Amino acid sequence: MLTGIIAISLGTILQALTYCLVKESGRSGQMSTLRILMCAHLIMGITSSIPFIYFKVWNLLTVEVVLYAAAVNITYLLAQFFMFSAITRSDPSISSPYLILKLPLVALLSIIIFGEHLTLIQAFALFGIVILSLIYSKAVKINFGVLLLVLSSALCFALCDVFVMYTARALDVTSAVWRSVFTVVSCDVQYLLFAPVLLFMRDRPHLKQFASVLPLSISWQSGVTFTIIGFNIAGVISSNIVLSMRALVAVALTAMFFRWQLSGEGRFKTKSAAALGMCACVAFYYNFA
């Protein structure tokens, strides 16, 4: 369990960093959300092809694995498109904490599909996280359009988590770590299928734009890998509870390294207090795990 919690914690930090880098990549490369997604995923497809070939991952692929991996990619791309669109219309410290609202969805799906369970106290801790996210919403006064985008993202992420576990369980690999790595590789290598689209684009991405999303791609792919390791070892619900700390991490990273992105700095203390409260709920959850 501890290894899984450490892995998901690293994934949480890297995912929060990814959201901070989205706006930076768009600013430095002057790119739209769709272009950022395209360039970043082509880079991830290329980097995934190296372990795919070296470890001969194609030997693990069945029709079931390929279809589940495709479902992961579709839901994940939709989730990130909605999330990136929300970030470009606000800032990471406002948008990313709202992903906490996927927790009830993930908990419900995990209980129904994977047979996971919650104690009454753990359910109260989860409920506390959701309530604090609503307090956070009053502090940041989020735009309705941005909120709708983030809620759409949360729903797609919840479905993605389910398909990720189906993909991992369909792979014939004993080690939880290697099963997680091969899950990421099996999914990300499919992004190379989008490469021919570049040939038909009137305004093709240039090298400077690919270079501007490279840090984002590295952070993104690493964060996803650690997150899936956490899923496989600690379970989907426990991992998503830890992922709720993205709120605090996003606020901290934005304030420390991306201060130009902040909107509503006067509400920074309220944001931080609500985010810290979510972390307290996480600690409370694990005290009774």
Side-chain angles (χ1 to χ4, degrees), residues 53-123:
I53 294 170
Y54 183 80
F55 292 108
K56 300 179 180 179
V57 178
W58 60 80
N59 290 325
L60 298 172
L61 299 184
T62 62
V63 173
E64 188 179 26
V65 171
V66 172
L67 290 177
Y68 282 141
V72 168
N73 287 332
I74 292 169
T75 51
Y76 193 76
L77 284 172
L78 283 172
Q80 292 291 24
F81 176 76
F82 290 136
M83 191 65 205
F84 284 15
S85 297
I87 289 172
T88 54
R89 287 168 173 77
S90 55
D91 76 61
S93 73
I94 288 178
S95 302
S96 60
Y98 275 90
L99 287 180
I100 196 75
L101 296 176
K102 83 166 184 174
L103 274 172
L105 293 170
V106 170
L108 182 62
L109 290 172
S110 297
I111 290 168
I112 294 172
I113 298 173
F114 300 119
E116 296 195 28
H117 66 277
L118 291 172
T119 65
L120 183 61
I121 294 176
Q122 288 173 327

Side-chain angles (χ1 to χ4, degrees), residues 99-177:
L99 287 180
I100 196 75
L101 296 176
K102 83 166 184 174
L103 274 172
L105 293 170
V106 170
L108 182 62
L109 290 172
S110 297
I111 290 168
I112 294 172
I113 298 173
F114 300 119
E116 296 195 28
H117 66 277
L118 291 172
T119 65
L120 183 61
I121 294 176
Q122 288 173 327
F124 273 120
L126 192 154
F127 181 71
I129 292 172
V130 176
I131 291 298
L132 282 166
S133 73
L134 297 177
I135 294 172
Y136 191 97
S137 70
K138 290 184 179 179
V140 300
K141 295 180 181 176
I142 191 168
N143 175 277
F144 179 75
V146 173
L147 178 60
L148 193 60
L149 285 169
V150 180
L151 291 176
S152 299
S153 178
L155 175 60
C156 289
F157 270 128
L159 291 171
C160 180
D161 288 354
V162 171
F163 289 127
V164 162
M165 292 308 297
Y166 272 126
T167 306
R169 293 180 183 191
L171 287 168
D172 187 19
V173 181
T174 305
S175 166
V177 173

Side-chain angles (χ1 to χ4, degrees), residues 10-287:
L10 289 171
T12 299
I13 294 169
L14 288 166
Q15 284 193 38
L17 177 60
T18 298
Y19 294 141
C20 292
L21 290 171
V22 168
K23 203 157 187 174
E24 181 65 25
S25 298
R27 184 179 69 90
S28 61
Q30 296 184 337
M31 291 183 288
S32 65
T33 300
L34 194 59
R35 183 159 294 223
I36 291 172
L37 278 169
M38 180 180 293
C39 292
H41 282 84
L42 282 174
I43 290 173
M44 287 190 280
I46 292 169
T47 55
S48 292
S49 66
I50 298 170
F52 185 84
I53 294 170
Y54 183 80
F55 292 108
K56 300 179 180 179
V57 178
W58 60 80
N59 290 325
L60 298 172
L61 299 184
T62 62
V63 173
E64 188 179 26
V65 171
V66 172
L67 290 177
Y68 282 141
V72 168
N73 287 332
I74 292 169
T75 51
Y76 193 76
L77 284 172
L78 283 172
Q80 292 291 24
F81 176 76
F82 290 136
M83 191 65 205
F84 284 15
S85 297
I87 289 172
T88 54
R89 287 168 173 77
S90 55
D91 76 61
S93 73
I94 288 178
S95 302
S96 60
Y98 275 90
L99 287 180
I100 196 75
L101 296 176
K102 83 166 184 174
L103 274 172
L105 293 170
V106 170
L108 182 62
L109 290 172
S110 297
I111 290 168
I112 294 172
I113 298 173
F114 300 119
E116 296 195 28
H117 66 277
L118 291 172
T119 65
L120 183 61
I121 294 176
Q122 288 173 327
F124 273 120
L126 192 154
F127 181 71
I129 292 172
V130 176
I131 291 298
L132 282 166
S133 73
L134 297 177
I135 294 172
Y136 191 97
S137 70
K138 290 184 179 179
V140 300
K141 295 180 181 176
I142 191 168
N143 175 277
F144 179 75
V146 173
L147 178 60
L148 193 60
L149 285 169
V150 180
L151 291 176
S152 299
S153 178
L155 175 60
C156 289
F157 270 128
L159 291 171
C160 180
D161 288 354
V162 171
F163 289 127
V164 162
M165 292 308 297
Y166 272 126
T167 306
R169 293 180 183 191
L171 287 168
D172 187 19
V173 181
T174 305
S175 166
V177 173
W178 282 111
R179 188 165 63 246
S180 303
V181 171
F182 292 151
T183 297
V184 174
V185 170
S186 300
C187 293
D188 287 3
V189 78
Q190 292 186 2
Y191 295 137
L192 291 176
L193 296 174
F194 294 114
V197 174
L198 294 176
L199 300 174
F200 300 97
M201 291 180 65
R202 293 177 60 185
D203 182 22
R204 298 187 185 93
H206 47 76
L207 287 177
K208 183 182 176 181
Q209 291 179 327
F210 278 106
S212 68
V213 300
L214 183 60
L216 182 154
S217 301
I218 294 170
S219 174
W220 195 343
Q221 197 164 37
S222 302
V224 169
T225 302
F226 281 117
T227 298
I228 296 177
I229 290 173
F231 281 1
N232 278 294
I233 297 176
V236 179
I237 296 178
S238 296
S239 296
N240 273 284
I241 292 289
V242 177
L243 280 172
S244 70
M245 290 192 292
R246 265 183 305 214
L248 178 61
V249 178
V251 170
L253 288 175
T254 306
M256 288 189 294
F257 303 111
F258 304 93
R259 201 164 186 83
W260 63 270
Q261 296 185 13
L262 280 173
S263 59
E265 291 186 66
R267 298 184 293 272
F268 182 74
K269 288 184 180 178
T270 310
K271 290 181 185 179
S272 300
L276 281 168
M278 293 180 200
C279 290
C281 287
V282 171
F284 190 65
Y285 176 94
Y286 280 107
N287 261 350

